[in-house]
Amino acid sequence: MKSGMNEVKSSELILACTSGPDQGKRLVIRQKDVVIGRHVACDLISDDPDVAERHLKVSLRGERPWFQAIADASVFVDGHRVLEGPIDAKQQLRIGRSFWKLGDTRAGETFSGWLDNLSEHISSAAGVEKVQNFSVSETFSDIFKTRMDEDIEEYFNVGTRTTTPPLLEIDTSWPKPWVFFKLFSLAVVVYLGFVFALTEFQNPILVPGLIAIGSFLIPFSILVLFFELNVPRNVPLYQVLRLLLLGGILSLILSLFLFRATHLDSWLGAMSAGIVEEIGKASALLLVIHKLKYRWILNGLLFGAAVGTGFAAFESAGYAFIYGLSGGEDLMLEVITRRGLLSILGGHVLWTALVGAALWKVREDRPFSIEMMKDPRCLRVLALAMVLHMAWNSPLDLPFYLKYVALGFVAWVVILGFIQDGLTQIQRAQDQARQS
């Protein structure tokens, strides 16, 4: 970068690279054009091999930052190719393989700025795009709309030759899931019915049903959420249930073999599960799904969630049974409730979903191979899942479940990043299909 570019005044706008080969570089936006490219004469010299000699001009038009691609160079704004236009604070530019974002030196002085910067660092560490244009209220705005039973039945009729939408008809805007909440509400009613019946009649024949419903209640609801987020609509419900059952038991068996072979639990204690069980679930995921037609990142996110749901539900049922025998009904209900509620913030469903998305991101259109597991993009997410799991099981405790809230924040930031990556992947495929 030329002399003076690193001296940023407190009021100056900057364009900062958040991830990619140029990560950490910053460009001060001025009234005159400043150029990004690989040529030594550029104002910011890029290290990105996909950037042209002179790739992009950036300047202020009035008080508004503006960019213009040079010689039709490729610039993507939130996943869409744009040749020229304004730069907004919430947008993300992709120049070559690098992602850039508008900011100023005052960012981070407020709590929201600090939180935004933290999310950006988490996304960068996981190798995903920083989430843009996501609104919780907008995404879940359809939850309380009145629906007929036929609507739900039709909603699950996907993944067949007649119900899978063509590529160009896939909606790549942020999805608006709603079925998961209705199924969750129904399951809660059934679970409370079991609790009432057991409390009222003290009949042990009710215990297996209570354990089954309670253990599957929230994990399966989260799985349905991921099913709805799979906007290609190319995975039938049968495949999801198959992965839940086969992936769940296979990952448990593999994990038990690994525990026995490594004896990590003898010196790491409960934290050893973070290493052993994440490897076991990732291995099971590779063994039970290999069809090339499931090529989208959002497919991998769903498949990972399915395997994680099976593992979580079977494990929770086991813990509920053990604690029920040793501590009675009250302790059993406490274990089921605590594990269920905390699984929203973390747990096997979310951690394995992350690994599944990373695997599918590396895989693209190729058959699976063991080499894909060695790809840094996959290893960094697998390592993240291990660290989250180990921290979850660590003896460190904070008041008001703050440890779990913090870990859940990290997991969901990366999941949202993968969802955005998945939508961008489909958008690019659609652009290529239109051009061909």
Side-chain angles (χ1 to χ4, degrees), residues 7 21 107 172 197 236 240 260 320 330 352 371 384 401-402 414 431:
E7 298 177 4
T172 56
V240 176
R260 190 165 70 181
D330 291 340
T352 317
E371 295 300 317
L384 174 64
Y401 295 104
L402 287 180
V414 181
D431 291 340

Side-chain angles (χ1 to χ4, degrees), residues 46-57:
S46 172
D47 296 322
D48 193 324
D50 286 358
V51 169
E53 293 290 301
R54 287 169 50 84
H55 199 103
L56 187 75
K57 294 189 295 185

